[in-house]
Amino acid sequence: MQVSVEKTSELSRKMTVIVPEAVVQEKMAERLKALSRQVKIDGFRPGKVPQHVVNKMYGEKVRGEVAGDLIQSTYYDALRDQKLNPAGQPKIHDLDETEGFKYIAEFEVYPEISLEGIEGLAITRTSASVEEGDVDAMIEKLQTQKKTWNEVERASRDKDRITIAFSGVCEGENFTEGRVQDFQVEIGAKQMIPGFEDNLIGLKKDEGKTFLVTFPEEYNNAKLAGKAADFDVETFKVEEPVLPAVDEEFIKAYGTKDGLLATFRNDIKTNMQRELTQALHGKLKNSVLEALYEKIQPPVPSVLIDEEIQTLMKPYLESAKRNKLKQADLQLPKEMFKDQAQRRVALGLILGEIIHIKEIKVDDEKVRTTIEDMAKSYEQPEAYVSWYYSDKSRLQGVQQMVLEDQTVEWLVSQAKISDETVGFSDIMDANQR
């Protein structure tokens, strides 16, 4: 076997493989001989068909089969001999040759990654704590989820709910198709375009108002994006929110069985602390990965980027399928995901190289702890843990996540750390955006 490799770009390779005719003939002879004992041809008893007849009838077909087998067997041998590490499947070009067998395999290889400079990355580590005021705010948020509405005769205020009829005109065209009736707006909930809800403050029942508001530049209707519109509003009802009392019934509804306020606050604080710990871990990890990506940006095989784009698009495509939409209707160009896909693939390759070079091994105890922490939010945590350990593919997913976290921990241990302290809401609000 003769092998030659041409470098067509930084990561692209063109490998030519030539197999001698003697090898092709030997493989064909073996297959044709076996075939002569199986074929049935009129005029000959089974197993007694002359070899030259079999060769004439099946030679071309068998040569094609042998060619396919030779590609399978010689491709990986050639890669090993040439010390090549391909990314993705190759494009094979089978060339017609009168003597021997020849094919060209085109593929990309994984990049060689230099880890120079990964020790000493500049990282910001954020810390925060759950204070009693944060617990108060969370209880108020829970109350808000169960609020009721009480009609009032006064002028509307922030956080009130107001029932209106309205119409909108932009550049002389009514874009609300007449007048929208019995429309409820919770002032301050930001369900309308910026500025609209502000103009509803101070209105009483049966009062009207006209005002001008400009649509955001990124508004999803191109005809209205960035343009000013005149709104005409009529008020039919003003209601104020009524929060439920934090009594035994309210407390038990959120899972605190004894109904005591002290236990309730402790339960809330424990949950908030768990969420904060996860958010801080995620923020630190993102800080490390961002610094790592800025330091090392290896070339990335396009085939891996394409695969990652498909992964990123999958949730959107599945959602479209559930809603009986065609992929074309989504208007999701691949370019929209390219930068994110490239970053994810690059970081995966870099982390993989660090794991290999630094010989980082997955910590089984950390895997167990991670699964148990995940299980705490379920009613039957033990069953959840067993569910993970009963399936290798599920368990491998957690193992990979833990191994990645261990690698980030190693990078943090080598980094130049700048510490900062912020409030609970600063972390959680940013985490929800």
Side-chain angles (χ1 to χ4, degrees), residues 45-75:
R45 286 181 295 164
K48 299 296 183 180
V49 180
Q51 190 67 51
H52 71 275
V53 175
V54 175
N55 294 355
K56 184 176 181 180
M57 294 186 66
Y58 295 97
E60 186 175 345
K61 178 175 179 293
V62 166
R63 188 178 181 93
E65 294 173 353
V66 167
D69 290 345
L70 284 171
I71 290 173
Q72 290 290 326
S73 62
T74 60
Y75 173 68

Side-chain angles (χ1 to χ4, degrees), residues 388-421:
Y388 255 100
Y389 277 94
S390 66
D391 185 286
K392 285 186 177 180
S393 62
R394 282 195 290 264
L395 185 59
Q396 285 173 353
V398 180
Q399 288 171 332
Q400 186 60 40
M401 180 177 68
V402 170
L403 186 59
E404 187 174 288
D405 285 346
Q406 288 178 231
T407 308
V408 170
E409 288 173 9
W410 180 87
L411 287 165
V412 171
S413 71
Q414 307 296 312
K416 296 176 181 176
I417 304 292
S418 298
D419 288 305
E420 66 172 4
T421 301

Side-chain angles (χ1 to χ4, degrees), residues 11 15 30 39 42 70 72 81 99 101 120 141 153 178 201 207 230 261 296 368 396 407 409 419:
L11 296 179
M15 183 172 73
E30 291 173 1
V39 295
D42 292 341
L70 284 171
Q72 290 290 326
D81 293 343
E99 286 294 324
F101 174 66
K141 187 178 291 186
E153 297 301 320
I201 294 175
E207 283 187 347
D230 288 300
L261 179 59
I296 306 172
R368 184 85 189 184
Q396 285 173 353
T407 308
E409 288 173 9
D419 288 305

Side-chain angles (χ1 to χ4, degrees), residues 368-381:
R368 184 85 189 184
T369 301
T370 299
I371 294 175
E372 289 175 349
D373 285 344
M374 292 162 61
K376 287 178 181 177
S377 59
Y378 290 83
E379 291 185 3
Q380 296 179 307

